[in-house]
Every structure is written in structure tokens, then in C-alpha cells.
Amino acid sequence: QKEVEQNSGPLSVPEGAIASLNCTYSDRGSQSFFWYRQYSGKSPELIMSIYSNGDKEDGRFTAQLNKASQYVSLLIRDSQPSDSATYLCAVNRGGDDKIIFGKGTRLHILP
Amino acid sequence: ETGVTQSPTHLIKTRGQQVTLRCSSQSGHNTVSWYQQALGQGPQFIFQYYREEENGRGNFPPRFSGLQFPNYSSELNVNALELDDSALYLCASSGGTQVNGYTFGSGTRLTVV
């Protein structure tokens, strides 16, 4: 089982709708969870971090964490064409605190 | 406050050659992590340096090596380049704890021919 799993997509969402991105992880010792956005040809940019079970909101973005299910999600409300990118889920490796990334989900917002 | 800078931005090397990539960490950050990102994949952890010492390594062979200097800048060296080493190499700095996530540099695109 891979350490961090994401559906590679592409996920196509109409402009203005809610985009839902999901991620599962295998290390029960993980304590820190991150979502990065990566535009084509660019480096990853941190957009959300979450450490406790529940929801964390920042503008149009909401991160959700369920440690019992080892599941992290990212919701993007009122999706814009500029949200089209690859979204990387990242989790700290519980044993030594390094950050491990999933393969990413490609999101395409349809105008 | 300056961000993370990497050099060069692009590089073409021949199989079997050696390459050195450089990274200047963000001001105040004493930890540097290196990642390899192949096309269509997520970043893969190579190794991390903390206060000039290697502080963890991913599943990469010994021909991938690194250094961190007293000013916390870092180098990634790859010997005996292989075609599969073609990738975007990312450097990330942090303030000694991963709690707040990483700040990435713009990366070095390495092509091995």
C-alpha cells in the first residue's frame, strides 16, 4: 500500500461548482497534513495545512481530516478556471517527521 | 525576507556525467529537503539536511548525495547520471519542524540524454 494515495484524475468541475479532492494515507502516526497546488511547469505551493480532526476553512478552501479513517480531503467552493492545477496531498511520516507526497489529482475547471 | 532559490533552472546532461544542483534556503530556515518529481508523479523524498547533517533519506541510491553549508544553503549531487534521473528537482526549506509545511524553490529541470 502506497503511503499517500490520490486519484490521479483528471477531475472536471464546472465553474462555480464545488470541487472535492480526496486523499488517504497509511501511517497512523502521521500528525500533519497538507494540500499543495502545482501549476504545470511550476513548483508546489502550500495552500492548506490541517492537524486536528474536523474542518479547517480558509477563504474558498476547506480541508477536512478524519484520522480514524486515515482520510484527508480538500473542498474548493465557487471553483474558478484559475483553480485548474494539480493538487498534491502531503503527510508527515510519523516515524521521522518527513513530508511524503501523493501523486496528485489533476483538476480541470470548465468555464 | 528572501524565499528559496534554486540554480540552475534548467540543465541538460549526458548519461554517465555528474551534476550539482544548488539551493539557498529561506531566511531563518535551518532545514533543507530535496525532492525528485518525475513527469506526472508526485515529489519523491530524496533526503533532508538539518544543521549540516543528513537527517533522513528516502529510497534513492548512494549516487545521490548532498551537503548543507553553515549558512544553511545546500547542494544535491548526482553521480553516474541515468536517463531516469530526468526530472524536476525541488528544494524545500523549513524552520526545523515540518508542522508548518515546506516552502519550495522554483526547481531545477534536469534532462539526461
Side-chain angles (χ1 to χ4, degrees), chain A residues 32 34 36 38 41-44 46 49 51 88 93 96-103, chain B residues 35 37 40-43 45 48 55-57 88 90 98-102 104-106:
Chain A
S32 304
F34 309 95
Y36 285 80
Q38 187 174 27
K42 302 295 185 182
S43 61
L46 179 65
S49 57
Y51 312 105
L88 298 162
R93 201 164 64 181
D96 59 11
D97 232 21
K98 306 302 179 285
I99 293 182
I100 305 301
F101 287 81
K103 287 188 173 184
Chain B
Y35 287 81
Q37 187 176 24
Q41 303 296 313
F45 175 69
Q48 183 183 88
N55 183 41
R57 188 177 183 93
L88 179 67
L90 295 161
Q98 285 68 49
V99 171
N100 295 321
Y102 290 156
F104 281 97
S106 56

Side-chain angles (χ1 to χ4, degrees), chain B:
Chain B
E1 179 179 281
T2 59
V4 180
T5 57
Q6 291 187 244
S7 62
T9 54
H10 295 87
L11 202 53
I12 299 175
K13 288 286 190 177
T14 302
R15 190 172 48 183
Q17 285 188 313
Q18 179 266 343
V19 69
T20 297
L21 310 181
R22 295 180 174 82
C23 171
S24 295
S25 61
Q26 185 167 326
S27 177
H29 285 181
N30 55 17
T31 302
V32 172
S33 303
W34 285 92
Y35 287 81
Q36 179 197 66
Q37 187 176 24
L39 201 60
Q41 303 296 313
Q44 297 294 308
F45 175 69
I46 303 175
F47 44 56
Q48 183 183 88
Y49 278 83
Y50 172 65
R51 294 186 175 180
E52 303 178 58
E53 298 284 333
E54 187 177 291
N55 183 41
R57 188 177 183 93
N59 189 26
F60 279 80
R63 58 189 186 84
F64 286 78
S65 63
L67 282 174
Q68 188 178 31
F69 301 99
N71 66 354
Y72 303 134
S73 65
S74 178
E75 287 182 353
L76 164 65
N77 299 290
V78 187
N79 293 322
L81 284 167
E82 300 176 359
L83 297 179
D84 285 349
D85 296 333
S86 296
L88 179 67
Y89 287 84
L90 295 161
C91 166
S93 74
S94 57
T97 172
Q98 285 68 49
V99 171
N100 295 321
Y102 290 156
T103 301
F104 281 97
S106 56
T108 294
R109 173 72 63 187
L110 173 65
T111 302
V112 182
V113 297

Side-chain angles (χ1 to χ4, degrees), chain A residues 32-89:
Chain A
S32 304
F33 307 87
F34 309 95
W35 284 99
Y36 285 80
R37 178 176 62 200
Q38 187 174 27
Y39 293 114
S40 181
K42 302 295 185 182
S43 61
E45 171 193 10
L46 179 65
I47 54 172
M48 288 289 288
S49 57
I50 187 167
Y51 312 105
S52 304
N53 280 329
D55 294 1
K56 178 182 178 183
E57 187 175 317
D58 184 0
R60 295 187 296 113
F61 299 98
T62 299
Q64 300 174 316
L65 174 61
N66 183 325
K67 290 184 180 180
S69 300
Q70 295 175 251
Y71 179 89
V72 193
S73 65
L74 179 70
L75 301 178
I76 306 175
R77 289 181 299 281
D78 187 24
S79 296
Q80 303 296 311
S82 60
D83 295 327
S84 296
T86 296
Y87 288 80
L88 298 162
C89 174

